[in-house]
Structures are given as structure tokens and as C-alpha cells.
Amino acid sequence: MSSIDVTQYEFEEVSRKAKIKSAVEAMLFASGEPLSLKDLSHNLEIQAKALEEILKEMINDYEDENRGIKLIAINDGYQLVTKAENSDFIQKLLKKNRRQSLSQASIESLAIIAYKQPITRIDIDEIRGVKSESAIQKLVEKNLIKDIGRLEVPGRPILYGTTDEFLIQFGLETLKELPSLDLYSDAETENSLDMLNKAISEMGEVAVTEDS
């Protein structure tokens, strides 16, 4: 192959990759939700392995460039999100804090669900020692937790688990990235609930308000 042919081939590859990146960006923007590698590769009619390499490049592109958004991998999918440093501007634009302050009751319930899921409200109540119905409802409204099934016992109570939004808010790709509870010694935490709260609180800044 001559140098001219090589140059032409390289040019075509760069052009093709640029078109793929453009299409991926457009699909993710239009979706507003995470798209799986399988869906992206199917729509683009490219092999998943080749597309995965391009997506890795895109993640780096967004990090390296002075962009207001970034591409993240989450639960075997990909999503465009705003960069944390721009959150104040976004909140002002939307006239609300998207994360919204979580009460102590909500933080406790979220910590229990994150580490013990799937779990029922009754089990959450037993761990907290108080009723958690209101806190759970608020977490559902904020899309941090969801109904993921029913426990096969009389009454078939709802089982709760965390959502993709939970992962995004706390900067996680998968639940495997939750801090290990082994990191906290008995001296640091008096009981399991304290340990769960400490782990969740250290993952990100979650404001606490005084409701129950």
C-alpha cells in the first residue's frame, strides 16, 4: 500500500469515527436517558467492541475539552450529564435544586436501601426503629429509589432498590463502587445504621433538613 493510500485510509477512518461520535452524541441527547451499548451498536450498525472503544475516546474527549457536559458509563449504558462545576448555573436556570435536600430520615432510609437492597419497608423500619413510609415516598419522588418487585410472602410487600439516578447523583458507575463497610471500624460507628449513614454521607454532599 502506497503512502497516498495509507493517508487516504487514515483520513476516511477519522471521518467515519467523527460521524459515529456525532451520531452517538445526538442519540444520547435526544434520549435523555442511559442507552445500552447494545442499543447504540444496533442503531449505528457497528460491532459493540469497536463502538466501546469509540465511547471511551468520547469520555476522554469530554473530560479534556472545556465542555459543559460529560459522557458517563452507568450500569452497562451511557448517558450525557452536566458537569458538577456547572450545577449552580443549572439550578438557577431551573429555579430549583435538582438533588434537593434530603432529610435525616431520607438519608437513613437511602443508606439502608443502597446496601441492603432488595429490601421491604418493614425491614427498613426495623433497622431504623421508626416508621419510614414518608421518607421512602420522598425518595421515590426524587427518583433515587424504585419498586423492583414483590417479596413472595403473605401480603407480598414491595421490594425497594436504588435507581440509575442514584448512581448519577453519587458519581457511581455501578453499585459495586459503593464504599465497602469494612472501611469503617467499630470505634467509628456504634451500630449498623450509623455505619450505613456514614458510608452514604461520605460519597457526596447531601444537605440535611430537619424533617422526619
Side-chain angles (χ1 to χ4, degrees):
M1 184 181 288
S2 69
S3 59
I4 295 177
D5 291 336
V6 170
T7 302
Q8 178 65 25
Y9 173 77
E10 291 175 347
F11 174 79
E12 289 175 356
E13 278 299 296
V14 169
S15 177
R16 176 175 175 272
K17 188 178 290 186
K19 289 179 180 178
I20 291 171
K21 289 181 178 181
S22 176
V24 168
E25 185 178 60
M27 285 190 290
L28 292 174
F29 178 80
S31 169
E33 299 290 337
L35 292 178
S36 69
L37 179 63
K38 181 180 179 181
D39 286 341
L40 288 169
S41 63
H42 176 74
N43 287 337
L44 291 166
E45 298 181 353
I46 1 182
Q47 290 187 347
K49 188 173 181 181
L51 180 57
E52 190 171 20
E53 290 303 312
I54 293 175
L55 286 163
K56 287 178 182 178
E57 281 187 26
M58 290 182 70
I59 290 173
N60 291 330
D61 290 344
Y62 279 108
E63 289 295 339
D64 293 342
E65 295 179 20
N66 191 21
R67 306 285 292 274
I69 58 176
K70 64 179 180 178
L71 176 62
I72 62 170
I74 175 171
N75 269 348
D76 298 322
Y78 296 85
Q79 184 172 17
L80 289 174
V81 298
T82 56
K83 287 186 175 176
E85 55 264 37
N86 295 321
S87 61
D88 289 344
F89 303 112
I90 302 299
Q91 289 167 20
K92 188 181 294 185
L93 175 67
L94 299 177
K95 295 182 180 178
K96 67 176 182 177
N97 182 342
R98 184 176 176 185
R99 180 178 287 184
Q100 300 177 347
S101 297
L102 292 178
S103 68
Q104 183 61 41
S106 293
I107 291 174
E108 290 177 359
S109 300
L110 180 59
I112 293 166
I113 293 167
Y115 280 93
K116 304 288 189 179
Q117 61 185 305
I119 187 170
T120 66
R121 180 183 58 78
I122 293 173
D123 288 333
I124 296 169
D125 290 348
E126 287 182 356
I127 294 173
R128 291 190 61 227
V130 294
K131 290 187 178 298
S132 307
E133 188 172 359
S134 176
I136 290 172
Q137 182 58 38
K138 288 174 183 175
L139 291 172
V140 170
E141 290 172 0
K142 296 179 195 298
N143 194 29
L144 293 173
I145 65 169
K146 64 181 179 180
D147 172 346
I148 59 173
R150 299 271 177 169
L151 188 63
E152 294 300 327
V153 297
R156 302 188 71 241
I158 295 172
L159 289 166
Y160 291 98
T162 52
T163 63
D164 285 346
E165 182 66 18
F166 166 80
L167 296 177
I168 293 170
Q169 290 290 328
F170 286 92
L172 304 173
E173 184 174 333
T174 70
L175 289 172
K176 292 179 181 178
E177 293 181 359
L178 281 169
S180 171
L181 297 181
D182 293 337
L183 297 174
Y184 304 100
S185 65
D186 293 337
E188 289 180 304
T189 52
E190 294 180 0
N191 57 49
S192 60
L193 180 55
D194 289 339
M195 187 178 290
L196 294 170
N197 289 342
K198 185 176 177 64
I200 287 291
S201 296
E202 291 185 355
M203 285 164 55
E205 296 177 358
V206 181
V208 179
T209 59
E210 297 213 354
D211 65 51
S212 58

